[in-house]
């Protein structure tokens, strides 16, 4: 069974890590009592079910939407598990869950406005942007600067530090897995917390690709012209996905290195060094995604769950 067949991706959540592989999604969360609680469920991508996974561009755009839906669902789950027991007893779980969902929806809408509409307004204020080329270049520059400022601001937020540590644990775990190591928390911790196919790198690439795509749309003159740009976000995501995918293959990695390295630099802000307990959580999440033969090959014996099953909190 090839490693490529069980390529994994992940996401940091509240007090935990979500991992996604070919056949399963797992989300491991450290509860307030200190236990690792695991949610594991079968997963078959929409792209695979409808045989769209081999169609360039389209697979990236659809995959982006699918990843957002899965990520929001697991983020909501992690918030419930990480909630102190007193709040659960007070019956606040459903209220906090609703608040989390509304917050994620608001964040998504606000993100579209912040990164794709506000730059257009700012560009209108800049003299000399009457031509399509000048307008879209300045618009892209504003979009990039706003994105970088956003990353910088959230990196200063103290409450985000633990999320960034779990982000680092996720990257370290995937790096160790891809290197073929026998995984344990100690081994995982020795690897880099930076990964070239991280969501941070992907978003930076989206900002750059959007400049090229919007050049073909000309200078937006009406509100309708501006709103229609939002319809091109899946296309931009699809192109960015293909570039990220190519950057890991053969000689392409050298040609596309200039697109990858800035993203790695950004990860210095969006990841922090995890402790062993956080690496353990990431390992539990990954182990739940792997089939038995991969478990034996990739996970250190003392960290393989009995009978190939996670012992705590599996659903």
């Amino acid at each position: 069974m090839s490693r490529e067949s069980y390529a994994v991706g992940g996401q940091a959540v509240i007090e935990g890590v979500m991992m996604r592989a070919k056949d399963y999604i797992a989300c491991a969360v450290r509860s307030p009592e200190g236990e690792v609680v695991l949610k594991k469920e079968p997963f078959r991508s929409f792209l695979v079910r409808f045989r769209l996974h081999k169609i360039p561009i389209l697979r990236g755009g659809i995959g982006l939407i699918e990843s957002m839906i899965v990520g929001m669902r697991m983020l909501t789950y992690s918030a419930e598990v990480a909630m102190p027991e007193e709040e659960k007893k007070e019956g606040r779980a459903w209220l906090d869950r609703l608040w989390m969902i509304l917050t994620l929806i608001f964040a998504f809408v606000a993100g579209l406005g912040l990164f794709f509409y506000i730059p257009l307004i700012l560009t209108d204020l800049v003299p000399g942007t009457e031509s399509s080329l000048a307008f879209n270049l300045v618009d892209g520059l504003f979009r990039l600067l706003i994105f970088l400022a956003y990353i910088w601001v959230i990196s200063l937020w103290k409450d985000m530090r633990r999320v960034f540590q779990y982000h680092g644990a996720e990257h370290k775990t995937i790096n160790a897995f891809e290197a073929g190591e026998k995984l344990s928390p100690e081994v995982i911790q020795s690897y880099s917390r930076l990964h070239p196919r991280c969501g941070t790198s992907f978003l930076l690439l989206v900002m750059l690709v959007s400049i090229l795509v919007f050049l073909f749309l000309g200078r937006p003159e009406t509100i309708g012209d501006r709103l229609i740009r939002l319809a091109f976000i899946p296309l931009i995501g699809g192109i960015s996905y293909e570039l990220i995918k190519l950057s890991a293959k053969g000689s392409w990695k050298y040609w596309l290195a200039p697109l990858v390295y800035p993203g790695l630099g950004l990860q210095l802000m969006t990841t922090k060094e995890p402790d062993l307990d956080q690496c353990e959580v990431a390992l539990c999440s990954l182990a739940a995604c792997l089939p038995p033969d991969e478990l034996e090959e990739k996970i250190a014996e003392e960290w393989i769950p009995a009978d190939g099953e996670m012992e705590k909190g599996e659903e």
Side-chain angles (χ1 to χ4, degrees), residues 167-289:
H167 192 194
E170 173 228 326
H171 283 185
K172 284 174 175 279
T173 302
I174 293 176
N175 279 327
F177 172 75
E178 292 178 342
E181 283 269 22
K182 281 275 190 178
L183 301 183
S184 68
E186 291 78 13
V187 168
I188 288 170
Q189 197 174 44
S190 69
Y191 275 78
S192 171
R193 72 177 200 261
L194 309 182
H195 194 283
R197 296 187 299 282
C198 167
T200 304
S201 299
F202 176 77
L203 289 176
L204 178 61
L205 194 52
V206 164
M207 298 299 150
L208 297 174
V209 170
S210 67
I211 298 175
L212 298 177
V213 171
F214 290 155
L215 279 173
F216 291 96
L217 300 182
R219 191 183 195 280
E221 301 293 346
T222 66
I223 293 180
D225 290 340
R226 298 181 177 194
L227 292 178
I228 201 171
R229 291 183 168 217
L230 299 179
F232 283 81
I233 292 177
L235 172 63
I236 293 168
I239 295 173
S240 302
Y241 171 83
E242 297 302 330
L243 290 174
I244 285 284
K245 193 175 180 69
L246 278 176
S247 70
K249 293 186 176 181
S251 61
W252 281 102
K253 66 175 62 176
Y254 301 106
W255 291 102
L256 296 177
L259 296 178
V260 174
Y261 288 143
L264 294 176
L266 276 183
Q267 289 176 44
L268 293 174
M269 289 192 286
T270 62
T271 63
K272 300 296 181 185
E273 284 294 329
D275 57 31
L276 284 175
D277 285 345
Q278 291 165 327
C279 291
E280 177 187 347
V281 171
L283 176 56
C284 287
S285 185
L286 175 62
C289 291

Side-chain angles (χ1 to χ4, degrees), residues 46-225:
F46 179 91
L47 295 170
V48 175
R49 281 185 281 141
F50 292 92
R51 300 183 179 181
L52 301 174
H53 60 293
K54 293 186 178 180
I55 303 178
I57 308 297
L58 182 62
R59 61 188 176 187
I62 295 176
L64 174 61
I65 296 172
E66 183 178 60
S67 295
M68 289 176 59
I69 294 172
V70 171
M72 290 173 66
R73 186 159 55 85
M74 292 302 175
L75 190 60
T76 302
Y77 166 76
S78 69
E80 293 176 0
V81 175
M83 183 186 301
E85 193 63 34
E86 301 77 38
E87 294 186 15
K88 294 178 183 177
K89 290 179 180 179
E90 291 172 3
R92 289 180 51 188
W94 70 271
L95 184 61
D96 285 343
R97 182 174 185 177
L98 176 62
W99 180 251
M100 172 67 73
I101 293 172
L102 293 176
T103 300
L104 291 172
I105 293 173
F106 173 79
F108 176 72
V109 174
L112 291 178
L114 182 63
F115 299 126
F116 288 93
Y117 198 80
I118 289 180
L120 293 172
I121 297 175
L122 295 176
T123 304
D124 276 335
L125 302 176
V126 178
T129 56
E130 290 76 15
S131 71
S132 172
L133 178 61
F135 185 93
N136 283 292
L137 288 177
V138 174
D139 168 60
L141 179 61
F142 275 128
R143 188 178 306 109
L144 185 59
L145 290 176
I146 290 173
F147 174 69
L148 294 176
Y150 172 80
I151 293 294
W152 178 69
V153 169
I154 64 172
S155 72
L156 300 177
W157 189 9
K158 290 183 179 180
D159 290 344
M160 287 296 291
R161 180 173 180 82
R162 286 191 65 80
V163 175
F164 288 160
Q165 285 181 298
Y166 279 109
H167 192 194
E170 173 228 326
H171 283 185
K172 284 174 175 279
T173 302
I174 293 176
N175 279 327
F177 172 75
E178 292 178 342
E181 283 269 22
K182 281 275 190 178
L183 301 183
S184 68
E186 291 78 13
V187 168
I188 288 170
Q189 197 174 44
S190 69
Y191 275 78
S192 171
R193 72 177 200 261
L194 309 182
H195 194 283
R197 296 187 299 282
C198 167
T200 304
S201 299
F202 176 77
L203 289 176
L204 178 61
L205 194 52
V206 164
M207 298 299 150
L208 297 174
V209 170
S210 67
I211 298 175
L212 298 177
V213 171
F214 290 155
L215 279 173
F216 291 96
L217 300 182
R219 191 183 195 280
E221 301 293 346
T222 66
I223 293 180
D225 290 340

